[in-house]
Every structure is written in structure tokens, then in C-alpha cells.
Amino acid sequence: MIGVSRESIIKALSTRNLIIIITVAFGILPVLLGFNRYYVYLATQVVIFTSMVLAWNIIGGYAGQLDLAAAAYMGLGGAITGLLLCYYHLTPWIGMIVGALAAVGLAVAIGYPTFRYGLREVWYALSTISLVLILQRIYWLIYGTTEEYISEYIPYRWSVLYLRFDRYEPYYYLGVAILLVTLWVNITIRRSKLGYYLRAISEDEDAAEALGIDVRRYKLYALMIYAAIVGLVGGLYITTTGIITYRLFDPDYSLSVAVAGIIGGLGSIPGALIAGVILKTVEEYLRATFGAVILGLHLMIYGILLVAVSVSKPEGLAAIFTYIEKKLLKKGSG
Amino acid sequence: MDPLLKVVKVTKRFGGIVAVNKMDMDVYEGEIVGLIGPNGAGKTTLFNCITGFYKPNEGKVYFKGEDITGLPPHVICMKGIARTWQKVKPFVKMTALEAVTVGALLKYKDISKAEEVAREMLEFIGLKKINVPGRELTLIEHKFVDLARALATKPTLLLTDEVAAGLRPFEIERLIDVIKRIRDDLKITLVVVEHVMRFVMKISDRIIVMHQGSKIAEGTPEEVANDPKVIEAYLGIKAI
Amino acid sequence: MLGLIDVNIHLLIQNIVNGVLLGLVYALIALGLSLMFGVMGIINFAHGDFLMIAMYFSYVLALALGIEGVLTSFITVPLFVVIGVAWFYTLINRVLKADPLIQIAMTVGILMFLRNIALAIWKAEPRGLPYSALLKSITIGGITISLSRLIIAIISLAVFFALHLFLTRTKLGIAIRATAEDTETAALMGINVKLIYALTTGLSLGLVALAAALILTFTRVDPMIGTVYGLISWCIVAMAGLGTIKGIIFSGLIIGLVEALGMSLISPGARELFIYLTFILILWVRPRGLFGVR
């Protein structure tokens, strides 16, 4: 009797079913939130952030590179999408693709020499920090501190073409769509040659080389996929906030993405998903409640969490899943 | 018959130190060649020069007649040379099955096919615990995974670096059996860099002795064991 | 025409002098980082933010006690040595053997905490000491030198020399070098490696506190400056390699000169961009160190 029910639990938790559950959960969320404008906006930001964490999982979790440049790719994608929309009235549907391509281009331009010169660990992380700051400075040099408001250029209140809506639900569902795609990309990679190779690279680069893996090339692939997704999401982000400034290139945002990825557990898809959702939700709550009084409280807490996780449970949230998996499998075969 | 692997006057310097000095070596298909020498003789450096982890300052390395000197390690692996590691480089988060699948993916693009090949290799080596994460394996199990990983890339030539180090006598017996089957059943040529005499003398068809970066003796295990130059190199005193 | 050339050479020398003074200070800031990384292999991303916090400490003390900024070091340096030792035993000790990514993660967590607690307490506006006896300039041969920067550069040189003596002539210093060189052998020879590590961390943060007290004389502090100083320090460590104080000094001088010369050639807005681009180039071209012994 007990064996049967454990087996059926395992079967129920199959990947396909989990994805269906997740889709449904995200799908009905706005209903649960009572279509409250503010909450749906928050949910949109959570979904956007979580997509980036899942994308980061590819370079940070699978390939094991501490990339802190998410804000660079997101900012680039967002800035391009936004500026093309404002100055050329180019629909963001195309603008986002252009932004994603630009992010990939940047990834190759930065990644190729970085990997070619064998920058690892701390040196890689430092170069990514520099990247965000460089892009921020370049934007600032071109546009200064001016803030471009999309609403000034695109006066429509409801336009599918220009992605202008006076409610947040459309943005939310678009975000969910991207999240599901990112989830799908993650799962596909994990079970592919790329996934195996990346995990080998993150374990031991020399051993990977000796097994015929072109380490530089595969790291670059991971970086390009991650940059493309983040750039695309950046485009969506800009349509939700409607403001284009140099503050798009926010190093703290990069850090938050990486922190979520680490706390979720490097390489763990469910971990990344849950960490992204929880951390961003908590952050927005803290910002709303204490934001005026204690600036950066959520970041302080992120910092403490990160220290706690790295010191005591480096596997992050993934440890919980491994534990559950073990418990289920153990009794089933015993 | 042309040698499978031909090392011609390879020299490798680190700053002022000459680790490998005009080293020559021929390895013919189907043999097991033992490469021995006292500490600091340059065996591992030569090893790394052949497998692409170091670029030789001088000299050439030919494999199946092709010049592979200075090529990157992954290209050399693609050409058919596989290696194991002196300081075992295990994949601690991946299971043995996953680790060996990584190796198999070189020649088999499809994941299920690669996994099948991985299972075959692990069965050939004789490792049972293939589904636990690497961090739960013992030293000899790691060495077996290391071997299986390398074998999964379907090499023509396998170089092992001190694979017998740290093993107990019964484990060494098991290793000898595995190495012999690699040569006989899988038809792979082997170069075994070793320190453990009992092991290398038993399995080698031919032995090459290195000392201070160059070859000082070559021959069958018996010939080499009785060679006064070799005895002097190891003991530092002249044999009577 | 000759007058024009004269002015340009003048400007050049002025920039070189500024660059040297700046570089020595950068080297002093990077010194602590080099010690921690060299001796323990620990990757401390929070280095710049410890500097920032130390500057705030000095700022508060200087105002509260009504003393010269530099003098606060008598309090902050021992304080930060203790903080360093405590930090080692509570946190660093537990990630010594972990994946470098996890080590970095731990220091990033500290970085985020320090930065945002500073933001919460002191808000975002830069704070500076309102008065310093040292804020004068002297002019030699047409070159203007800020007195404070000159004195601090001299103090930096004195610190380098003192540290050099410490590491080469004292038992503890030699023990530290031995541990950096070969941890296993050092342990076998009876050196208490954990204690050495703790003291190294303490020394590292002590040096940071000293540098902080010094630069507060001519610079203001805000919660975000940790990034720039951290990056500068890591670049100096990247260029210098491990194992030599001289390497740190030379690398610091190079960075200082690059910044001083860059400042004059390019508009102030582009100055930071120039610095960050230089960072990446340095990381690409020479990640293993120009001067290092190891």
C-alpha cells in the first residue's frame, strides 16, 4: 500500500506534470490577486526577475561561471527596445528581438576574449562587473541623466502593436510566456549534450578538455543563450516600466540575479525558480513597507542570506529537493 | 611498421629548468609501453606535452603520421588520444554514469546512445556504483571512473598517469587485469606512466626509462631492471 | 610656440606627480587584499566595502572627537584588526575548502550587507571631513602638490617599508610568508596555520582601516565607493601577481598614472569609463601578473 502511493507520487511529480502545474498556477494568479493593479504589476516584475534567474542558471549553474553582468545585457536589450520604440516607433515585438541580438553580440564581443584569455573565477566575475559599469557610463555619456518616457512618444492607451496597455495583465502573461520558454530551454539543455558538457566544465575544466570538450566554445554558447534571454526580457521590462535611463544598468540588479541563482542552488531548475519568486516577492514587499525608512533593506537581507547559504548550505534550496528525492526513492526500492 | 605515436626531440623548459630534454619515444600499435623514471624525471611533463596541456619549446609529436604538436587538448582527444589523471580529477556532483556519458558524447551525439556506451564502459571496468554522485566514491572507484571516462571517447591510444598510485595490492591486481583487457578486448594501445614497479613491470611489453628529462634506457622489463644506468638513476649510486 | 610646449611639459609633469601620489595610495589600499589573497587564497570581493565602512567609522570618530581624520586610525586600525580576526573564525574558516564561487559568494553577501547598512545609516550623499589641517598646497617649480596627498604618500611608503621589514625580519612575518608559500610544509613545521590565517585577515583589514583614515583627508565617502576601490585593488593584484610588495607598489603607480594622465586628456565624464575599460584590458592581457614571483 505504502509502496504504491510513493510510486504514484514520483509519477505525479514528473517534469511534464510539474510544468503543467506551474503554468496553471501562474496563469490563474491574477485572478487570485483580484486583478489588483499594483499586485499584478509586482507579479510581472517577479516573473521577469525569475526568468533572468533561470537564464543565469545556464551560465552560473551549469557552466559554473560567476557572471555579474545580467544588468548589462538586460539594460542593452531594454535600452535598444525602448529607444527604437520612442525614436523610430518600431514595435517592441521586433525591438525585443533586436535587443536580444544586440545582447548576444555583446556577449560574444566580451566572452570571446574573456574565455580565450582563460579568465576564471574571480577574474571572470570582475570583468563582468566592469562590463555593467562600462555600459552604464557609455549610456550616460550619450544621453546624460535624461529620462525618456515612452508615454511621451507613444500616446496610445491600448496598443498591442506598441505594447502599451493601461493594465498590467497583458505584460504579466507575456512575462509568463517568456518564463515558460526559459524553463523549457533550461530543461532541454540539461538533458542535452550542451548540458552534460557544461556541467563537466563547471566540475573540472582540464578534465573536460581531456575528454574532447572545447571548453571555450561551450562556455561561449552558454553565455550567448543567457544573454539572449536576458536581453529579450530587458525589452519586456522596459515596456512595463516605461522609463529609459542610465539607471537601467544597475549593478545591484545583476547581484540580485546571481544571489537568487546561488541561493536556489547552482544548476537546480526548481531551485532557481523558487528562489527567484520568493526573493523578488520579499524584496518588493520590503521595498514597499520599509523602502522610505530603510533604504536597501532587501539587499541587506540578501547579503545576510547569501552569507548564511554559502557558509552552511552551499547547495542552496536544491538541498531540499535532493532530500525529498532521496526519501522518495529510498523507501520505494527498499 | 610506422609507430602510432612518435615523439621527436621534444624539449620543454620552465624558466631556467629543462624538464624534458630532447626526448625521443616511439609507441607501436598494440603494445603496452611503460614509462618510468625517478621523481622529477619529466614523465608527467612529457605526458602533458603529448596531450596538449603544455606546448613543447622544441621538437615534434606525431600521431598516426600527423603532426599534433601544440594542438589544444580537446583536439588531441578528438584525434584519438585519451588520458587519465595523476591527481584524480573527479566529477563530484555528477554520477559515474553521467561522467562517463560526457566522454561518450564525443563520438555519439545522441544522449541515450551515449549513455548506453557509458554503461558498457562501466561494466567493462567493473564498477557497480554508477548512480551515486562522485563525492561518494572511493579512490579506486574514482580511478575506474577516470579510466571509463577516457575509454568512452573511443581512443586509439590511452595514456595513464600514475594510475596505480595509492592502491592496495589486491586493487593493483584488479587494475592489471583491466589494463590487459583494454589492450586485448578494446584494441587500444597504452602508454603507462608509473611509479609503482610491481604494476608496470607486470603489464608492460616494453619499458622506457627517463632521467632528468631524457631517455636513458629502453627494453623489456627484465633488460631494464638489470640496466646499470637505470639502477644508478634510481639509487643514485653506481651498481657494482 | 615655445611657450605652448613649455605649458604642455608642465602639465605632463604635474600629471605624473599626481599620478605617483595617487598610485601610492592605491597601492596601500590594495596591500591588504594582496595579503589575504596571497596567503590564504581567499577571494575577498568586499575589500572596497570594508574600506568604505572604515571611512565612515573614521568620519564619525573625527567629528565626535573633534580630531584630525588621520588620527582616528589609532582607534580604527586596532578595531578592524579585531574585526578581521573575528571574521576569520566565524565565516572564512568555514569556506576555506569550498568552491571559489562559494567563497566569492560569501564575500559578496558581506559586500551587500555593508553597503546597504551604510546606505541606511548615512544615506546616499557623500560625506567628507569639513576641515583638515593638511588641506594646503605647496608649489615647487610651478608644480602644485597637495600637502595632504604628499604626506599620505610618504606615510604609505613608510607602511610599505614597515610591512617589508615585518615580513622579512620578524618571526611572525616569516611564518606568514612560509604559510603562503606552502601551507602543508608550514603546518608540518609547527606553524599554526589557522592562527596565521586569522592574523593575516586582521592585518589585511587593519591596513584597510589605515588607508581609509588617510584618504578621508582629501576624499569624501558614500556607500557606493566600495565598487571602484575594490575594482582598483583587484586590478592591482591582478597586475602585480602574488608575493611581492614591490609588485603592488609598481602596479599601483601604473594605475595611478593611467588615471592621472587619462583625467587630463579626456573629459571628466569619460574618466570613469576610461578606468573601467582599462580594468577589463588589464584583466584580459595580464591576469597572471606582471611582477609576481608566484
Side-chain angles (χ1 to χ4, degrees):
Chain A
M1 252 305 273
I2 295 183
V4 168
S5 77
R6 274 191 206 281
E7 265 174 33
S8 54
I9 292 178
I10 295 174
K11 217 166 173 208
L13 291 177
S14 79
T15 313
R16 203 175 55 111
N17 291 347
L18 281 172
I19 296 196
I20 294 177
I21 296 176
I22 292 173
T23 312
V24 169
F26 276 109
I28 63 171
L29 189 61
V31 179
L32 296 177
L33 295 176
F35 294 105
N36 176 305
R37 187 183 167 82
Y38 179 62
Y39 287 151
V40 176
Y41 172 76
L42 280 188
T44 313
Q45 296 307 320
V46 170
V47 163
I48 286 178
F49 180 76
T50 307
S51 300
M52 297 213 217
V53 177
L54 279 169
W56 187 88
N57 189 41
I58 298 173
I59 187 79
Y62 292 152
Q65 309 295 307
L66 182 58
D67 186 289
L68 297 171
Y73 302 116
M74 166 192 146
L76 186 63
I80 287 184
T81 307
L83 294 173
L84 284 175
L85 178 58
C86 288
Y87 298 157
Y88 296 97
H89 287 238
L90 181 65
T91 162
W93 293 101
I94 300 184
M96 281 199 283
I97 308 282
V98 176
L101 287 174
V104 172
L106 178 66
V108 173
I110 261 288
Y112 183 76
T114 301
F115 296 138
R116 189 196 171 295
Y117 291 115
L119 261 64
R120 301 186 193 180
E121 295 142 8
V122 56
W123 311 118
Y124 180 78
L126 287 170
S127 70
T128 57
I129 295 176
S130 307
L131 183 62
V132 179
L133 295 167
I134 287 175
L135 283 184
Q136 192 196 63
R137 287 286 125 190
I138 291 180
Y139 187 93
W140 186 81
L141 278 173
I142 303 177
Y143 294 102
T145 52
T146 36
E147 296 180 342
E148 295 284 17
Y149 290 85
I150 295 183
S151 51
E152 280 173 16
Y153 293 84
I154 311 286
Y156 310 111
R157 298 207 59 215
W158 192 279
S159 159
V160 174
L161 184 65
Y162 295 118
L163 279 183
R164 298 294 302 161
F165 308 105
D166 60 359
R167 302 189 59 85
Y168 284 107
E169 280 80 8
Y171 297 118
Y172 172 78
Y173 283 111
L174 198 49
V176 172
I178 296 180
L179 177 67
L180 290 173
V181 167
T182 311
L183 203 54
W184 175 82
V185 169
N186 248 291
I187 294 174
T188 312
I189 290 181
R190 189 179 182 83
R191 295 194 181 147
S192 72
K193 178 172 169 180
L194 176 65
Y196 272 90
Y197 273 12
L198 288 178
R199 282 193 291 157
I201 289 173
S202 77
E203 294 254 21
D204 191 312
E205 284 189 29
D206 287 334
E209 278 261 7
L211 292 173
I213 300 175
D214 186 346
V215 170
R216 277 163 14 197
R217 173 194 293 223
Y218 283 94
K219 280 194 208 174
L220 199 55
Y221 287 162
L223 189 67
M224 285 165 66
I225 297 174
Y226 149 74
I229 297 175
V230 173
L232 187 76
V233 175
L236 177 64
Y237 178 81
I238 210 80
T239 63
T240 65
T241 62
I243 314 173
I244 312 166
T245 88
Y246 75 96
R247 268 184 280 262
L248 257 183
F249 300 94
D250 180 2
D252 279 337
Y253 202 88
S254 291
L255 276 179
S256 304
V257 170
V259 167
I262 294 176
I263 290 181
L266 295 169
S268 159
I269 299 176
L273 184 68
I274 293 181
V277 169
I278 293 182
L279 286 180
K280 189 65 176 172
T281 309
V282 169
E283 173 188 329
E284 290 296 339
Y285 169 74
L286 288 174
R287 204 203 295 267
T289 320
F290 300 106
V293 179
I294 308 177
L295 292 159
L297 177 66
H298 66 279
L299 289 171
M300 237 190 282
I301 294 183
Y302 277 9
I304 298 176
L305 268 177
L306 191 55
V307 172
V309 166
S310 52
V311 163
S312 48
K313 260 258 175 288
E315 317 86 57
L317 290 177
I320 302 179
F321 303 120
T322 329
Y323 178 75
I324 296 178
E325 217 180 297
K326 261 195 175 148
K327 281 267 159 161
L328 284 177
L329 289 175
K330 210 186 214 179
K331 295 291 174 63
S333 61
Chain B
M1 192 178 71
D2 278 331
L4 182 64
L5 178 74
K6 194 172 178 63
V7 176
V8 180
K9 301 230 176 322
V10 162
T11 305
K12 181 68 187 165
R13 289 182 215 101
F14 296 106
I17 304 176
V18 185
V20 176
N21 194 3
K22 295 208 195 0
M23 180 72 184
D24 290 318
M25 187 168 83
D26 292 340
V27 179
Y28 294 90
E29 205 172 330
E31 35 169 16
I32 299 180
V33 174
L35 183 60
I36 67 174
N39 270 324
K43 309 188 292 293
T44 301
T45 309
L46 177 64
F47 197 101
N48 286 328
C49 285
I50 297 173
T51 54
F53 284 91
Y54 293 155
K55 268 199 177 49
N57 297 110
E58 288 162 32
K60 294 250 176 244
V61 180
Y62 296 96
F63 183 65
K64 294 187 194 166
E66 195 189 329
D67 184 353
I68 62 165
T69 324
L71 287 178
H74 66 272
V75 175
I76 291 187
C77 178
M78 286 184 207
K79 295 208 183 285
I81 301 182
R83 65 162 297 169
T84 64
W85 298 89
Q86 178 182 2
K87 282 204 197 131
V88 183
K89 283 171 172 280
F91 291 157
V92 294
K93 290 190 271 192
M94 295 167 84
T95 66
L97 180 60
E98 287 171 336
V100 180
T101 307
V102 171
L105 280 168
L106 180 66
K107 297 271 162 70
Y108 301 92
K109 311 292 177 193
D110 181 54
I111 296 277
S112 9
K113 181 76 183 137
E115 212 179 273
E116 210 182 292
V117 171
R119 280 183 204 278
E120 280 170 27
M121 285 301 132
L122 284 162
E123 207 181 301
F124 178 84
I125 293 276
L127 186 70
K128 297 270 187 299
K129 282 156 71 178
I130 65 173
N131 281 315
V132 297
R135 62 171 68 92
E136 295 178 22
L137 296 176
T138 64
L139 179 65
I140 184 169
E141 286 166 339
H142 276 309
K143 288 186 182 254
F144 277 178
V145 174
D146 201 0
L147 268 173
R149 254 183 356 198
L151 290 173
T153 64
K154 300 288 172 171
T156 320
L157 174 68
L158 176 64
L159 305 173
T160 67
D161 194 355
E162 308 211 12
V163 64
L167 295 183
R168 287 167 284 186
F170 74 92
E171 290 168 337
I172 294 183
E173 287 304 317
R174 205 173 145 196
L175 191 59
I176 291 175
D177 170 64
V178 168
I179 299 281
K180 286 211 170 116
R181 279 189 295 126
I182 291 176
R183 190 261 304 269
D184 299 332
D185 298 346
L186 300 179
K187 304 275 185 279
I188 293 175
T189 312
L190 282 136
V191 176
V192 176
V193 172
E194 235 356 292
H195 249 314
V196 179
M197 285 306 146
R198 177 209 336 246
F199 173 68
V200 73
M201 289 299 179
K202 260 195 180 172
I203 58 158
S204 308
D205 300 320
R206 200 161 53 96
I207 296 208
I208 297 176
V209 187
M210 271 182 89
H211 183 48
Q212 289 172 346
S214 329
K215 176 164 58 175
I216 59 167
E218 191 175 347
T220 66
E222 298 74 40
E223 289 167 2
V224 158
N226 294 316
D227 189 321
K229 288 200 296 302
V230 174
I231 299 173
E232 181 188 339
Y234 270 97
L235 298 179
I237 54 171
K238 281 206 182 317
I240 303 163
Chain C
M1 250 283 280
L2 268 167
L4 253 169
I5 299 178
D6 205 30
V7 166
N8 282 337
I9 295 181
H10 223 233
L11 195 60
L12 187 64
I13 298 180
Q14 175 77 68
N15 280 327
I16 291 178
V17 168
N18 287 342
V20 166
L21 294 180
L22 195 60
L24 286 174
V25 173
Y26 284 161
L28 181 65
I29 296 174
L31 203 49
L33 182 66
S34 170
L35 263 176
M36 265 190 82
F37 191 43
V39 173
M40 303 159 61
I42 287 288
I43 298 161
N44 182 10
F45 263 29
H47 184 78
D49 293 88
F50 276 112
L51 180 80
M52 177 267 297
I53 288 285
M55 284 175 79
Y56 273 114
F57 270 59
S58 285
Y59 168 77
V60 166
L61 282 171
L63 284 184
L65 301 175
I67 57 175
E68 184 71 43
V70 182
L71 296 177
T72 61
S73 57
F74 286 107
I75 301 176
T76 59
V77 169
L79 176 65
F80 270 72
V81 169
V82 169
I83 292 178
V85 172
W87 178 32
F88 174 78
Y89 280 118
T90 51
L91 294 174
I92 300 182
N93 201 10
R94 295 159 75 171
V95 297
L96 272 178
K97 300 236 183 337
D99 203 85
L101 203 146
I102 298 294
Q103 284 178 4
I104 299 178
M106 185 267 282
T107 62
V108 169
I110 292 183
L111 173 171
M112 292 174 86
F113 180 74
L114 290 176
R115 198 174 288 192
N116 288 283
I117 225 183
L119 188 61
I121 299 177
W122 290 289
K123 307 292 183 288
E125 304 90 51
R127 312 276 176 135
L129 289 178
Y131 173 78
S132 169
L134 299 176
L135 275 178
K136 295 187 186 59
S137 298
I138 55 176
T139 314
I140 306 175
I143 309 288
T144 316
I145 304 176
S146 146
L147 186 63
S148 60
R149 289 188 189 249
L150 181 62
I151 293 185
I152 281 150
I154 294 175
I155 295 180
S156 302
L157 281 172
V159 171
F160 295 139
F161 190 58
L163 192 66
H164 173 75
L165 285 179
F166 171 71
L167 288 175
T168 48
R169 301 286 167 87
T170 69
K171 226 167 140 197
L172 184 57
I174 295 177
I176 290 179
R177 278 170 56 216
T179 313
E181 192 77 39
D182 186 337
T183 320
E184 282 169 33
T185 312
L188 285 173
M189 287 172 60
I191 294 179
N192 184 343
V193 173
K194 287 279 164 71
L195 184 61
I196 295 286
Y197 281 172
L199 291 173
T200 305
T201 314
L203 182 59
S204 169
L205 289 193
L207 285 167
V208 164
L210 178 61
L214 293 178
I215 68 174
L216 195 58
T217 318
F218 55 79
T219 295
R220 297 187 299 175
V221 57
D222 70 76
M224 296 321 208
I225 62 170
T227 314
V228 181
Y229 285 111
L231 273 174
I232 291 177
S233 300
W234 272 108
C235 266
I236 292 178
V237 169
M239 275 171 50
L242 306 171
T244 75
I245 295 183
K246 264 195 224 115
I248 299 284
I249 298 177
F250 279 125
S251 303
L253 286 173
I254 292 178
I255 301 255
L257 284 167
V258 165
E259 183 179 331
L261 290 169
M263 252 168 91
S264 64
L265 297 171
I266 308 175
S267 70
R271 171 183 157 237
E272 272 184 50
L273 175 62
F274 184 63
I275 296 178
Y276 297 135
L277 279 170
T278 315
F279 286 166
I280 279 205
L281 277 171
I282 289 177
L283 286 174
W284 279 345
V285 169
R286 212 55 258 206
R288 270 167 286 301
L290 288 166
F291 304 102
V293 168
R294 273 177 288 124

